[in-house]
Structure formats: structure tokens, C-alpha cells
Amino acid sequence: MSPGHPRFLVLFVLLGLSLSACFGKDDSAEPSEGDTDTDTDTDTDTDTDPGSFPDDPSPFTVTVSGAYVGTLSFDEPTCYYPAGSSQLRVFWRNEARDHVFFLLVEMLSDFQGSGTYDASNASPRAKLQEEAGGKGFFFQSDAGQGDEVSLTVQLDEEDHAWGEWSVTGMRDGSGGSVTLEPAVIPIWCPELN
């Protein structure tokens, strides 16, 4: 192929464009006088970004006082948000089964996705309950007796959920009550079933 051949010229032009792109103007140079464009976007991704799924907050411990006294560790989340439903249930258990309690916050209606929920816009409920192998302890929040439950949850398109919930107190069926310390419990769902 000779230098005058049309394909050679096209190849030469394309090569020239590629080289000028590689060795062209340095866009990172300081702005010239009168240039007011001071782009300071650092585009860094950090774990503090409220829109990103955080690291696992477990294990965490909760001190229970009142009708039951003890310190419980939780490290195993299970989360349910059936497709198309207005329900959310978030459980925490102890994977090693050092105890058989689970902590639960649930909304059996009114759940509409990411947001903050409390008695003003929904009816969230909290429970601390023993499963099989325990002594049958069962405590549940009761809005009618002044127990307040609030949760803030964030969902993403990859079926993750995270946030926190709190409860002021829970009661059993015989007049006993418990409080949790800390009162704020994490929500962390690596998958929603």
C-alpha cells in the first residue's frame, strides 16, 4: 500500500488523532487568569455515605433489665420483605446459640420502603422472645401502654436494607416489663427474603 493510497491516509489520520488524544492538552493544569472553573470534586467513596450499604454492625450486646435481667449478644440477622407487600420483619439472633432469645422489629402493614416510621405514620412493633429451649420469656411493645417504637430504614436495588430501630419498653402478659440498653438496635440486612 503506497502513501498516496486512500486506506493509508485514513490510517494515518486515525493514528494522528490517537496520538493527539494521548499527548494533548493537560486538563489538570492550573486554570488561566480569568478562568473561574475551580472543580473540587474528589469523587471518593466512603463508608459514611448514607446511600451505601454499611459494614456488618454485629456482634452487638444488649443489656435487658426489669422482668428479665441479662446481657445478650446478637450477630445473626434475618430479614423479610415479601415482594409487593407492605410488611417488614427484621430479626437478630445469636448464631452460637449462647442464648435462644431473638430481637424483632416488625411492621405488618404500612411499610412503603425507605423512610422513618413510628406511631405517627405506621404501627411498628418490637419483641424480645425466647425460642425453643428457653424458659418462654416473651416481651412485646404495647403502644396502648405508652411503649414507643421507631425505625429508620434504607433500601437499595440489590435487596439490602440498613438503618436502626428503637423501643422505649416492652411488656409480658403478666404485668412485667423490660427495657433495653442501648435502646437503639441496628438494622442490617445483607438480603431481603
Side-chain angles (χ1 to χ4, degrees), residues 24-59:
K25 180 183 170 191
D26 183 3
D27 290 332
S28 66
E30 293 199 21
S32 62
E33 189 175 323
D35 188 356
T36 58
D37 185 9
T38 54
D39 186 6
T40 57
D41 183 19
T42 56
D43 237 51
T44 56
D45 188 17
T46 65
D47 288 339
T48 59
D49 178 1
S52 63
F53 187 56
D55 293 335
D56 186 349
S58 70

Side-chain angles (χ1 to χ4, degrees), residues 98-128:
D98 298 325
H99 61 80
V100 292
F101 279 96
F102 68 81
L103 268 172
L104 166 69
V105 66
E106 63 184 352
M107 293 180 58
L108 300 180
S109 62
D110 304 319
F111 185 69
Q112 302 298 319
S114 298
T116 298
Y117 299 89
D118 57 28
S120 70
N121 62 358
S123 52
R125 180 170 62 181
K127 294 179 184 178
L128 175 67

Side-chain angles (χ1 to χ4, degrees), residues 6-189:
R7 280 195 235 170
F8 181 84
L9 290 175
V10 170
L11 180 62
F12 182 76
V13 169
L14 289 175
L15 181 61
L17 289 174
S18 297
L19 288 174
S20 69
C22 292
F23 298 106
K25 180 183 170 191
D26 183 3
D27 290 332
S28 66
E30 293 199 21
S32 62
E33 189 175 323
D35 188 356
T36 58
D37 185 9
T38 54
D39 186 6
T40 57
D41 183 19
T42 56
D43 237 51
T44 56
D45 188 17
T46 65
D47 288 339
T48 59
D49 178 1
S52 63
F53 187 56
D55 293 335
D56 186 349
S58 70
F60 63 91
T61 59
V62 174
T63 301
V64 185
S65 56
Y68 172 85
V69 176
T71 299
L72 305 172
S73 177
F74 297 95
D75 61 2
E76 184 180 27
T78 305
C79 308
Y80 299 100
Y81 177 35
S85 81
S86 59
Q87 298 182 6
L88 175 70
R89 304 181 87 204
V90 179
F91 291 85
W92 280 103
R93 291 180 170 87
N94 178 266
E95 185 175 17
R97 299 297 183 245
D98 298 325
H99 61 80
V100 292
F101 279 96
F102 68 81
L103 268 172
L104 166 69
V105 66
E106 63 184 352
M107 293 180 58
L108 300 180
S109 62
D110 304 319
F111 185 69
Q112 302 298 319
S114 298
T116 298
Y117 299 89
D118 57 28
S120 70
N121 62 358
S123 52
R125 180 170 62 181
K127 294 179 184 178
L128 175 67
Q129 179 177 343
E130 279 188 307
E131 297 181 283
K135 296 181 179 177
F137 283 107
F138 174 82
F139 301 96
Q140 177 174 291
S141 61
D142 183 346
Q145 297 191 54
D147 299 331
E148 296 176 13
V149 179
S150 175
L151 69 135
T152 299
V153 64
Q154 179 73 36
L155 304 174
D156 68 16
E157 294 178 357
E158 297 175 4
D159 286 335
H160 298 136
W162 65 96
E164 61 186 24
W165 62 273
S166 63
V167 60
T168 58
M170 291 183 270
R171 303 161 192 280
D172 63 17
S174 62
S177 64
V178 294
T179 56
L180 307 179
E181 179 61 40
V184 177
I185 309 297
I187 293 172
W188 190 78
C189 304

